[in-house]
Amino acid sequence: MAATQTIAPGLDVSPLALGTNVFGWTADAATSHRILDRYVESGGNVLDTADSYSFWADGNSGGESETIIGQWLTGRSDRDELVIATKVSHHPQLAGLAPETIRTAVDGSLSRLGVEAIDIYYAHYDDPDTPLVESIEAISQLVDQGKVRSIGLSNFTAERIAEWLRITDREGFHTPIVLQPQYSLVERGIETDVLPLARTHGLAVMPYYSLAHGFLTGKYTGEGPVDTPRASEASQYLTTQGRAVLHALKQVAAEHDVEPAAIALAWLAAQDGVVAPIASARNTEQLKPLLQSMETPLSRPELDLLEEASRPSPVSTPVR
């Protein structure tokens, strides 16, 4: 069983969070429920969703992922052991972080999930059109009302995170405890500002796109077509450096007899401040290497090898 880490009183998280943006999109309800079963049976306990998932799929309007999770939660006795995280601001009908939008959105999420309280409620995207203090007050009030247990920020710049923290300190609002930025072996930009800020303020980091749209699974090599919804996004990393990262991943993966995805996630989990990378799977077969990451500790030489291969360089040209 994977060890959990405490990020707030009564809030313990497994070293891998399950991304559920594929639920109701590339994974139907039955498949999603099998994925959830397998993830929890393997020691995972963090379910990451959003009220907007997955409005982009044909026939969807947003909230499908939350609904599927809510159906799965019905009748389960382990609700208190799970960490349910969802987000506000990106739903097509509830965009932004205006106070009324937040109040309406949280009730919709609670209803679809079928829970009394959301464990982590993220501001999904910054909203420059709403005074930040108004958004902060509205989300903080949800904690006072018992609808939300803790607050997170996703896709915020370091400057806006710092401003959010200053306002909460000045006004006495509930402080965020977790950040959700993009971070992976081929996307290390947060190391210059967001990650140091998180470490300074003791904020847990749960990165998304941990496998870089699937690139770090090792199946995108440029040597043949890969028929997945994210193939075009993954192909952007087919650079000289990207290939070096894949080579290092495969080398370490062979030593552990696991797949490259497991090593990519284990590297993230080993970074100071990161508590649980987020990764999603369209079926239980794709879930297997994600679960392996929770039981694959990396040695210092292995971490150094991956660090050297992935260290940002001034120029990284696509391989033709």
Side-chain angles (χ1 to χ4, degrees), residues 31-48:
T31 302
S32 300
H33 290 173
R34 287 194 292 272
I35 293 168
L36 288 163
D37 286 340
R38 184 75 183 95
Y39 169 72
V40 172
E41 289 166 0
S42 301
N45 77 331
V46 184
L47 309 182
D48 183 84

Side-chain angles (χ1 to χ4, degrees), residues 17-96:
L18 182 66
T20 66
N21 61 317
V22 297
F23 290 2
W25 174 28
T26 55
D28 61 20
T31 302
S32 300
H33 290 173
R34 287 194 292 272
I35 293 168
L36 288 163
D37 286 340
R38 184 75 183 95
Y39 169 72
V40 172
E41 289 166 0
S42 301
N45 77 331
V46 184
L47 309 182
D48 183 84
T49 187
D51 64 356
S52 58
Y53 300 163
S54 47
F55 75 84
W56 53 84
D58 289 344
N60 287 0
S61 58
E64 288 78 16
S65 174
E66 290 180 330
T67 297
I68 287 172
I69 293 170
Q71 293 167 344
W72 177 79
L73 284 171
T74 301
R76 294 187 67 89
S77 60
D78 58 354
R79 163 64 186 100
D80 291 343
E81 300 170 18
L82 301 174
V83 176
I84 310 297
T86 192
K87 311 178 191 72
V88 58
S89 85
H90 196 46
H91 191 286
Q93 279 75 53
L94 293 166

